[in-house]
Amino acid sequence: MHPELIIAEDYQDLSRKAALRVAEQIKEKPTTVLGLATGKTPLGLYRELIRLHQEEGLDFSRVKTFNLDEYYGISPEDKRSFHYYMWENLFKHLNIPRGNIHLPDGGAQDIEEECRRYEEAIREAGGIDLQVLGIGSNGHIGFNEPGTEWGSLTHLAQLTPETIKDNEEEGGEGIPGFALTMGIKTIMRANRILLLAYGESKANIIARALKGPVDKSVPASILQLHPGLVVIVDKEAAKFLGSLT
């Protein structure tokens, strides 16, 4: 079982190719449930989806979305929050109903109940059709850091110093040390997974994730076992991959 590997020329080409896959999914199933990621990697994808909506009429009116994660202890209005990121970079530019958009509530008083609620909402929506993922420099997917159990569902995760440093470089100072995240089992339940990575800094971890052993020290390595995995990387991120067959 080998993932489909697409090597893009550069970040712009990667973003276009990723958007094409998402658009195909929505055209094939207008009621698609999308799992969405944040960070630098999917920004180009989101820009291209906005273009496809505004210029080519890609319809999001029946699409539902579930975000991978949200920082713990900050409000949706906080500019560090993924609520803010998603509204600014995607949702406010599309014709997606507000009621179809789901993110974990980082300000929830009862975290265990919020995690259960989120899992139940995904189930009620029929499960995730296509999950967009980036990969952390330590191999995390969502905020499932090294050592996370394969059977984990949505939970409160403690972020490693490495992840906090990476995210502060992307999103400014004062990143919280905890986040609510879909678990590895939650992610693996998606029908299809689109893993995106670009730049030389991701080349080593992408190779370890896709060609190394399936090991909890590299959480993304579990994706090797997913039958619907598509990997889109630019040439720099692909330099240690060779062939995946």
Side-chain angles (χ1 to χ4, degrees):
M1 186 162 52
H2 300 291
E4 181 182 351
L5 175 63
I6 299 167
I7 299 177
E9 285 296 315
D10 52 26
Y11 178 69
Q12 195 172 7
D13 187 38
L14 176 152
S15 300
R16 279 196 298 265
K17 285 177 162 61
L20 190 60
R21 289 304 179 108
V22 175
E24 284 171 357
Q25 170 67 42
I26 293 169
K27 288 171 186 172
E28 180 185 308
K29 183 183 178 186
T31 57
T32 282
V33 180
L34 292 177
L36 299 178
T38 53
K40 283 194 299 188
T41 303
L43 280 173
L45 159 63
Y46 296 157
R47 281 194 292 267
E48 186 63 14
L49 288 176
I50 293 164
R51 188 194 69 77
L52 288 170
H53 168 65
Q54 293 179 346
E55 296 180 14
E56 299 183 23
L58 182 63
D59 183 17
F60 287 82
S61 64
R62 297 167 69 197
V63 170
K64 292 181 179 176
T65 66
F66 287 87
N67 262 71
L68 275 167
D69 38 37
E70 176 59 285
Y71 290 124
Y72 172 59
I74 59 177
S75 72
E77 294 76 31
D78 192 308
K79 290 187 177 180
R80 297 168 298 171
S81 75
F82 294 149
H83 279 76
Y84 186 86
Y85 169 107
M86 291 303 305
W87 280 99
E88 289 301 306
N89 292 302
L90 186 63
F91 296 146
K92 75 178 186 182
H93 306 283
L94 304 177
N95 66 328
I96 184 165
R98 184 177 283 266
N100 287 10
I101 294 164
H102 303 85
L103 293 95
D105 180 3
Q109 294 297 308
D110 186 335
I111 292 301
E112 287 187 8
E113 179 55 35
E114 173 60 14
C115 292
R116 280 194 295 270
R117 183 200 67 78
Y118 204 63
E119 286 286 332
E120 183 58 30
I122 293 171
R123 277 194 294 274
E124 285 180 1
I128 290 167
D129 293 302
L130 177 63
Q131 176 68 59
V132 177
L133 292 178
I135 183 171
S137 56
N138 63 1
H140 71 234
I141 47 176
F143 277 128
N144 294 287
E145 300 281 28
T148 303
E149 293 297 327
W150 295 140
S152 59
L153 300 175
T154 300
H155 63 283
L156 183 66
Q158 183 169 5
L159 311 187
T160 65
E162 185 178 10
T163 295
I164 293 170
K165 179 174 176 288
D166 288 348
N167 286 17
E168 285 189 334
E169 286 172 5
E170 289 188 11
E173 293 298 312
I175 296 299
F178 290 85
L180 276 71
T181 183
M182 285 186 197
I184 289 172
K185 187 173 183 178
T186 317
I187 291 167
M188 290 293 284
R189 283 174 172 165
N191 293 330
R192 298 177 184 171
I193 293 177
L194 194 58
L195 177 63
L196 310 177
Y198 75 98
E200 194 172 357
S201 66
K202 294 292 174 72
N204 182 54
I205 196 62
I206 273 285
R208 287 179 65 199
L210 299 177
K211 301 194 79 170
V214 176
D215 190 283
K216 289 177 190 169
S217 66
V218 182
S221 64
I222 193 72
L223 298 175
Q224 294 178 40
L225 306 181
H226 197 287
L229 176 63
V230 177
V231 180
I232 308 181
V233 290
D234 71 350
K235 285 181 173 178
E236 288 188 335
K239 74 177 194 176
F240 300 133
L241 274 181
S243 168
L244 290 181
T245 57

